[in-house]
Every structure is written in C-alpha cells, then in structure tokens.
Amino acid sequence: MPTAVQPLPLTPEPIERRQQVVSSSRPWRWGAAVVAALSLLATAACSGNGAQREAAAEVAKKDRYGGTLNIGLSADPGGVDSAVVNQVWRTVARALADSLVFYNPETKQVEPWLATRWKVSDDARVYSFTLRDDVTFHDGTKLTAKVVKANLESLNRPGIHSSAKTIVQGISTIKTPSEHEITVEFAEPNAAFLTSLSRAYVGIISEKTARLPVEQRQKWLDGSGPFSLEEYVPNQRIVLKKREDYTWAPKYFRHDGAAYLDKVVYKIIPEDSVRNGAVIGGDELQFIYWVNAKYVPQLQNAGLTISKTLNPATGTELPVNTSSKFLKDVRVRQALQTGVDRDEFVKIDSGGVDQPATGPLSKDNPYYSDQSALLKYDPARAKSLLEQAGWTRTGSDGIRVNAKGERLSLRAPEDDAGWQVLQDQWKKLGVELVLDPPLAAEANEKLLSGEYDIAYWYASSPDPDVLRANYGRTTGSNRSFIADDDKTGEELDRLLQEQNQTIDKDKRQKLVDAAARILIEQGYEIPVSNDVDIWAHSPRLHDIEPVGLDQYLINAWLAKK
C-alpha cells in the first residue's frame, strides 16, 4: 500500500494568484532527449503490456476499491478551476467537475453526460438541453437549469481563461423553461459549441462557486465530479476525496457507481530526478506525466508502464505576423514554411515522441486531412523564394540583406530546444531568428500585441473551430494580423466563419480543408509538430484513462501489493 500521507491542515492556506501563460512548450521537453527512447515508446501500450492487462482483468471489480493514488506534478497549477487557470484541465479539473456532454475519443462523437439529450437548430444558433435530475454538487446543492445558466454567464467575466471565455462569446440569450431544461441562443451560428461544452474548462460547478469572484474560484471548487476537493496547499499538494454517491459517469467508461480510489493526492515535486525516483520506488508516487523522453529507458527498465496520448487539436503551431515589415511578402512566409525540417525538429525537440505536423490539425482531430504535400522540406525552394523577394545578398554573418541594407532578422518569444532547431534551420537559409522570451506575466499580452514576427499558440479542443479561434478575423484572435485589404486573408476568414456555421459534416469538412490549405500556402501559420504527452506509472496502477489530453480517474485502481 502507499505510504501514509502526512497530516494535513483542516483548511487550505492562502493562495496567491499567478498569471498563467499558454505555451506550446511542455516541461518534459526541457533538455535533450535520447534516441534510445524512440523504440521503447513505439511499442509502449497505452494501458500497460498484455500480461498486465490479462492479470488486471482477473481482479473482480469489488476487489478494486480502496487506496490512495499519488501523482507527481512538476509545478503548482496555480489553482483548481480550469476556467480560470491554464493546464489544470489536464489534471485535477476533470476529477472535480463534469460537463454537459462527453466527447467519445473512439467514435469522435458527442454523447450524454449531465445533459441526457439535446436539440440543435438547423442554423446552429439554438441549443436546447434536457438535464439529469439526480445530480448533486459537492456542497449538496442540485443540478438545475438555473445553475447551468449561472455557469455559462460566469465564463464571460474578466479573469476567465480565454479558452473558456471564447466558448460562451456570442450568446445572446439563455432561457430556462423548466427546472431541468435550458436553451442557449447565439446571435450568429456556432457549430463548435456542442463539442466545446465537453471540455474540462466548461465543467459545471455549483451556483455558489460560479458566482464567486474569479480570484476565489482558484482556491476552491464545488463540482459534481467523482472526487471532491479536500485540500489545496499551493506548491505542496492538492488532495481529492472520493464521492460515495457518484453515479453519473459517461457510458464510455462502463462504470455505474463511485470511483475505485479513496483518495488522489497531487504532489508538487519540481525536480525530475526526485519525481522519477519516487515513482520508481512506487510508494510515494504511482504516476507522473509530461515525462521527458530521455528518462523513458530508465523508467521502463524499472518496470513502469509508459503511455502516450496525442493532442486532438493542433500542437506546436507558429502564427506568422503578416504585419511585420519583412513578413508582409508572402514569398518570405512561404520560404519559412518550406524551410522547416519537421522530422529533425521532433527528433531534437521531443526525442521523436511528437509527430511531425502534416497539416494545421492533429491526426486525432475529427476534421483532420493530410496536407503534408504542402509541408515538404525544400531548402532550395526556400532560398529561391527569398531571392525572388529581393533578399539576394548575404552578409558576412550569413544573414540575407535587401537593397536597403536591412538584415532579414525576425524575433520570436521563446528560447528552448525546439526554437533553437528553427533558429538553426532558418539560419541556413540566411534568416536570423532572435529568441527573446518575455516575462511570464507579460507573455499572453505580448503575443496578442503583434510585437513578435513569429509567435506560438496551443489548442487542445477536438474541433476544427480552433482554427477560427486563432486565425479568424471577423471573429477570432487573428493571431497572424491579417490585414483588411488582404484578399486571400478575406477568403480565409470567410471559410473559417462559415465552417462554424455549418452542421453538415461533409460540407464543413470541405470548408475546413480549404481553410487549412490557405493557412499553409500563404504562410499565415507554420504547423511544426503534433504534441504527444508521455505518462509513466506503476504497474500496480490500472485503467487511468486519457480522453484527448484530459485525465480521467473514474476507473483507476491500485492493485494490492
């Protein structure tokens, strides 16, 4: 059995609010990765090896109950409410709060959860839901249409994370015709709304929690999930306790009652070596994630199970600032696009764990299409494009110079192994990439300000509307700063807006494909890689399940020693 958890204070200590930075970089990327990890990961099973699965299947469900699962985190998430802080949706949030609907990663369809059924208008503007009548929150209050209305309204406040806020933007009215019926109407069509509601950062919380000031929502959360929050001590631990009365897990998990585990303790352990040693020992920790690929051989040789999960949205994508004086010329943007060796990038950046991008969307996105023919590495073509754009001379430092004597120098907001790969690859073309990260507290604001020539972004929702959210001009963030007089950009915006107004999947697919092609051909964005998260856990731990990048604990159980 796990070692006893140290006695905990009865109430959480004060929590300081921290600015969260959305970044495509993940902790396990830091440092070089070893090639030996590649063959090991290629054969790693997502739920353990065959022998482990067969042995686990012999354990009756009644014998799986009990125990404390200890999970190691590399950093404090900054709060427990994923509507407020970034990345906590990957961990604690999904155990605490359920969603109206569930996204089935196998069928790529939306299924019932807190909502038993729904109806969507033909124009994708009106969504009507019928709710379960047996759901309660951790504070004892009941799920009602009024509570869901308070949740949706609360997400449009200052301080709410952009991923959650974007989902509810455009709502014109919310009606509650009965205690368990709610209708949401948008001013404009919104085909992505239903899938978006499956995300953890739109998890439904009690009305009292929803109405708390945003700063308070980071400290405590009463949801309807299979676990309740027992304690949050910043930079030390987050403790969850099983709900004995939980009976509404999605059918996907084939689990009718309460979770098997009694408790889950997330421990903040910044040092890789300490986390690795703790999970190898198996008593202090039984699970870690965002594992650096270079540690995989060590962990697997110690008998741990190695699992992988692919981001269902995008990955490492680089919005290109088309308002930059050098990047207004599409030929320069196209040179950067074709001048990226994506195979080399993933080998160095992630040890070959990530997948080279083959389009703006991940292969696990339901609207993915293969655009790899447009992303072939061709440095000769890249150099030719730069020369056509007037960058014909090269200075003594190897950087191209135009007729005005200006050096082809671009600025980017990060400095890690992946960006250093890009810096080296583009230098071979004669392009300088200056890596100049901002202060963490200023990063989001500066990325949206147009201060950088090349930026980054990251999305995780399994819907193609992430492209509109990032690159849409009429609605969306327009992260590429596409000008109003850019005719191709105007067509891109039309496609991005129309796909979010289209319910028919085949029609929507054609719109998404056309938009993806323009994004790549015009160099509005540079898709580089698709992210794959690595998990490592004790062979005693079974059935901890990913859905996208979210972590589900309803079926997780620990075998007895």
Side-chain angles (χ1 to χ4, degrees), residues 26 89-90 309-316 361-365 458-462 530-533 548-549:
R26 292 162 289 159
W89 49 263
R90 274 175 145 137
T309 180
L310 176 65
N311 185 338
T314 57
T316 297
L361 295 173
S362 160
K363 291 180 179 178
D364 209 28
N365 192 288
Y458 183 86
S460 59
S461 182
N530 296 144
D531 295 340
V532 177
D533 282 1
L549 300 181

Short mmCIF file of all heavy atoms in Angstrom, two decimals, residues 26 89-90 309-316 361-365 458-462 530-533 548-549:
data_model
loop_
_atom_site.label_atom_id
_atom_site.label_comp_id
_atom_site.label_asym_id
_atom_site.label_seq_id
_atom_site.Cartn_x
_atom_site.Cartn_y
_atom_site.Cartn_z
N ARG A 26 6.26 22.18 -23.20
CA ARG A 26 5.84 21.41 -22.04
C ARG A 26 7.06 21.05 -21.22
O ARG A 26 8.16 20.92 -21.74
CB ARG A 26 5.12 20.13 -22.51
CG ARG A 26 3.79 20.42 -23.17
CD ARG A 26 3.34 19.24 -23.98
NE ARG A 26 4.17 19.09 -25.17
CZ ARG A 26 4.27 17.95 -25.84
NH1 ARG A 26 3.64 16.90 -25.44
NH2 ARG A 26 5.02 17.89 -26.91
N TRP A 89 -6.87 21.76 -16.45
CA TRP A 89 -7.85 20.87 -17.08
C TRP A 89 -7.26 19.51 -17.39
O TRP A 89 -7.98 18.52 -17.53
CB TRP A 89 -8.43 21.50 -18.35
CG TRP A 89 -7.43 22.04 -19.33
CD1 TRP A 89 -7.02 23.33 -19.45
CD2 TRP A 89 -6.72 21.33 -20.34
NE1 TRP A 89 -6.10 23.48 -20.45
CE2 TRP A 89 -5.90 22.24 -21.03
CE3 TRP A 89 -6.69 19.99 -20.74
CZ2 TRP A 89 -5.06 21.88 -22.07
CZ3 TRP A 89 -5.86 19.62 -21.79
CH2 TRP A 89 -5.06 20.57 -22.45
N ARG A 90 -5.93 19.43 -17.51
CA ARG A 90 -5.30 18.15 -17.81
C ARG A 90 -5.28 17.22 -16.60
O ARG A 90 -5.06 16.03 -16.75
CB ARG A 90 -3.85 18.39 -18.24
CG ARG A 90 -3.67 18.69 -19.71
CD ARG A 90 -2.22 19.02 -19.96
NE ARG A 90 -1.77 18.55 -21.25
CZ ARG A 90 -1.00 19.27 -22.07
NH1 ARG A 90 -0.63 20.48 -21.72
NH2 ARG A 90 -0.61 18.77 -23.22
N THR A 309 -0.34 9.92 -25.26
CA THR A 309 -1.64 10.44 -25.68
C THR A 309 -1.43 11.64 -26.60
O THR A 309 -0.62 12.52 -26.30
CB THR A 309 -2.52 10.81 -24.45
OG1 THR A 309 -3.77 11.31 -24.89
CG2 THR A 309 -1.85 11.83 -23.57
N LEU A 310 -2.13 11.65 -27.72
CA LEU A 310 -1.94 12.66 -28.76
C LEU A 310 -2.93 13.81 -28.60
O LEU A 310 -4.12 13.59 -28.37
CB LEU A 310 -2.14 12.00 -30.13
CG LEU A 310 -2.09 12.91 -31.37
CD1 LEU A 310 -0.70 13.50 -31.55
CD2 LEU A 310 -2.51 12.12 -32.61
N ASN A 311 -2.43 15.02 -28.72
CA ASN A 311 -3.29 16.20 -28.70
C ASN A 311 -4.29 16.13 -29.86
O ASN A 311 -3.89 16.00 -31.01
CB ASN A 311 -2.41 17.46 -28.84
CG ASN A 311 -3.20 18.75 -28.70
OD1 ASN A 311 -4.40 18.80 -28.89
ND2 ASN A 311 -2.51 19.82 -28.38
N PRO A 312 -5.59 16.23 -29.58
CA PRO A 312 -6.58 16.12 -30.66
C PRO A 312 -6.85 17.42 -31.40
O PRO A 312 -7.76 17.46 -32.24
CB PRO A 312 -7.83 15.66 -29.91
CG PRO A 312 -7.70 16.31 -28.57
CD PRO A 312 -6.23 16.32 -28.25
N ALA A 313 -6.12 18.48 -31.10
CA ALA A 313 -6.40 19.76 -31.75
C ALA A 313 -5.27 20.14 -32.71
O ALA A 313 -5.34 19.88 -33.90
CB ALA A 313 -6.59 20.85 -30.69
N THR A 314 -4.25 20.74 -32.21
CA THR A 314 -3.17 21.21 -33.07
C THR A 314 -1.83 20.69 -32.55
O THR A 314 -1.50 19.54 -32.71
CB THR A 314 -3.16 22.74 -33.15
OG1 THR A 314 -3.05 23.29 -31.83
CG2 THR A 314 -4.42 23.25 -33.80
N GLY A 315 -1.10 21.52 -31.88
CA GLY A 315 0.23 21.16 -31.40
C GLY A 315 1.11 22.38 -31.43
O GLY A 315 0.66 23.49 -31.11
N THR A 316 2.35 22.22 -31.83
CA THR A 316 3.23 23.37 -31.97
C THR A 316 2.92 24.05 -33.30
O THR A 316 3.24 23.56 -34.37
CB THR A 316 4.70 22.95 -31.92
OG1 THR A 316 4.99 22.38 -30.64
CG2 THR A 316 5.61 24.15 -32.14
N LEU A 361 -4.21 20.76 -38.34
CA LEU A 361 -4.91 19.99 -37.32
C LEU A 361 -4.21 18.66 -37.05
O LEU A 361 -3.57 18.08 -37.93
CB LEU A 361 -6.36 19.71 -37.75
CG LEU A 361 -7.27 20.93 -37.90
CD1 LEU A 361 -8.61 20.52 -38.50
CD2 LEU A 361 -7.48 21.63 -36.56
N SER A 362 -4.36 18.18 -35.83
CA SER A 362 -3.80 16.90 -35.42
C SER A 362 -4.51 15.74 -36.12
O SER A 362 -5.68 15.84 -36.49
CB SER A 362 -3.95 16.75 -33.91
OG SER A 362 -3.87 15.40 -33.50
N LYS A 363 -3.80 14.63 -36.27
CA LYS A 363 -4.41 13.44 -36.87
C LYS A 363 -5.57 12.91 -36.04
O LYS A 363 -6.38 12.14 -36.54
CB LYS A 363 -3.35 12.35 -37.03
CG LYS A 363 -2.30 12.64 -38.08
CD LYS A 363 -1.29 11.52 -38.18
CE LYS A 363 -0.24 11.82 -39.25
NZ LYS A 363 0.78 10.75 -39.34
N ASP A 364 -5.63 13.31 -34.77
CA ASP A 364 -6.70 12.83 -33.90
C ASP A 364 -7.91 13.77 -33.91
O ASP A 364 -8.88 13.52 -33.20
CB ASP A 364 -6.18 12.68 -32.46
CG ASP A 364 -6.91 11.59 -31.70
OD1 ASP A 364 -7.39 10.64 -32.35
OD2 ASP A 364 -7.02 11.69 -30.47
N ASN A 365 -7.84 14.83 -34.70
CA ASN A 365 -8.98 15.74 -34.82
C ASN A 365 -9.98 15.14 -35.80
O ASN A 365 -9.60 14.62 -36.85
CB ASN A 365 -8.51 17.11 -35.31
CG ASN A 365 -9.58 18.17 -35.17
OD1 ASN A 365 -10.56 18.19 -35.90
ND2 ASN A 365 -9.39 19.05 -34.21
N TYR A 458 -1.29 27.27 -28.86
CA TYR A 458 -1.53 25.89 -28.50
C TYR A 458 -3.02 25.72 -28.30
O TYR A 458 -3.66 26.55 -27.67
CB TYR A 458 -0.79 25.59 -27.19
CG TYR A 458 -0.87 24.16 -26.71
CD1 TYR A 458 0.03 23.22 -27.17
CD2 TYR A 458 -1.83 23.76 -25.78
CE1 TYR A 458 -0.03 21.92 -26.72
CE2 TYR A 458 -1.90 22.46 -25.33
CZ TYR A 458 -0.98 21.55 -25.80
OH TYR A 458 -1.04 20.25 -25.36
N ALA A 459 -3.59 24.69 -28.87
CA ALA A 459 -5.01 24.41 -28.68
C ALA A 459 -5.19 22.93 -28.38
O ALA A 459 -4.34 22.11 -28.73
CB ALA A 459 -5.80 24.80 -29.93
N SER A 460 -6.29 22.58 -27.72
CA SER A 460 -6.49 21.18 -27.34
C SER A 460 -7.92 20.69 -27.56
O SER A 460 -8.22 19.55 -27.25
CB SER A 460 -6.13 21.00 -25.86
OG SER A 460 -6.95 21.84 -25.05
N SER A 461 -8.79 21.52 -28.11
CA SER A 461 -10.17 21.12 -28.31
C SER A 461 -10.31 20.27 -29.58
O SER A 461 -9.77 20.63 -30.63
CB SER A 461 -11.07 22.35 -28.41
OG SER A 461 -12.42 21.98 -28.56
N PRO A 462 -11.03 19.16 -29.51
CA PRO A 462 -11.16 18.27 -30.68
C PRO A 462 -12.20 18.77 -31.69
O PRO A 462 -13.14 18.07 -32.04
CB PRO A 462 -11.59 16.95 -30.04
CG PRO A 462 -12.38 17.36 -28.84
CD PRO A 462 -11.69 18.60 -28.32
N ASN A 530 2.81 17.82 -33.87
CA ASN A 530 1.64 17.48 -33.06
C ASN A 530 2.12 16.90 -31.75
O ASN A 530 2.91 15.96 -31.72
CB ASN A 530 0.75 16.48 -33.78
CG ASN A 530 0.15 17.02 -35.08
OD1 ASN A 530 -0.01 16.31 -36.04
ND2 ASN A 530 -0.15 18.31 -35.09
N ASP A 531 1.62 17.45 -30.65
CA ASP A 531 2.12 17.09 -29.32
C ASP A 531 1.63 15.73 -28.86
O ASP A 531 0.46 15.38 -29.04
CB ASP A 531 1.68 18.13 -28.29
CG ASP A 531 2.30 19.49 -28.56
OD1 ASP A 531 3.31 19.54 -29.27
OD2 ASP A 531 1.77 20.50 -28.06
N VAL A 532 2.53 14.98 -28.26
CA VAL A 532 2.22 13.70 -27.63
C VAL A 532 2.71 13.75 -26.19
O VAL A 532 3.89 13.96 -25.95
CB VAL A 532 2.89 12.53 -28.37
CG1 VAL A 532 2.62 11.21 -27.65
CG2 VAL A 532 2.41 12.46 -29.82
N ASP A 533 1.79 13.62 -25.25
CA ASP A 533 2.17 13.60 -23.84
C ASP A 533 2.59 12.20 -23.42
O ASP A 533 1.97 11.21 -23.83
CB ASP A 533 1.00 14.05 -22.96
CG ASP A 533 0.83 15.56 -22.95
OD1 ASP A 533 1.60 16.25 -23.65
OD2 ASP A 533 -0.08 16.04 -22.25
N GLY A 548 -8.41 12.64 -25.10
CA GLY A 548 -7.59 13.76 -25.54
C GLY A 548 -6.43 13.89 -24.56
O GLY A 548 -5.74 12.92 -24.27
N LEU A 549 -6.23 15.08 -24.03
CA LEU A 549 -5.18 15.29 -23.04
C LEU A 549 -5.73 15.33 -21.61
O LEU A 549 -4.97 15.50 -20.67
CB LEU A 549 -4.43 16.60 -23.34
CG LEU A 549 -3.75 16.68 -24.70
CD1 LEU A 549 -3.04 18.01 -24.86
CD2 LEU A 549 -2.77 15.53 -24.92
#
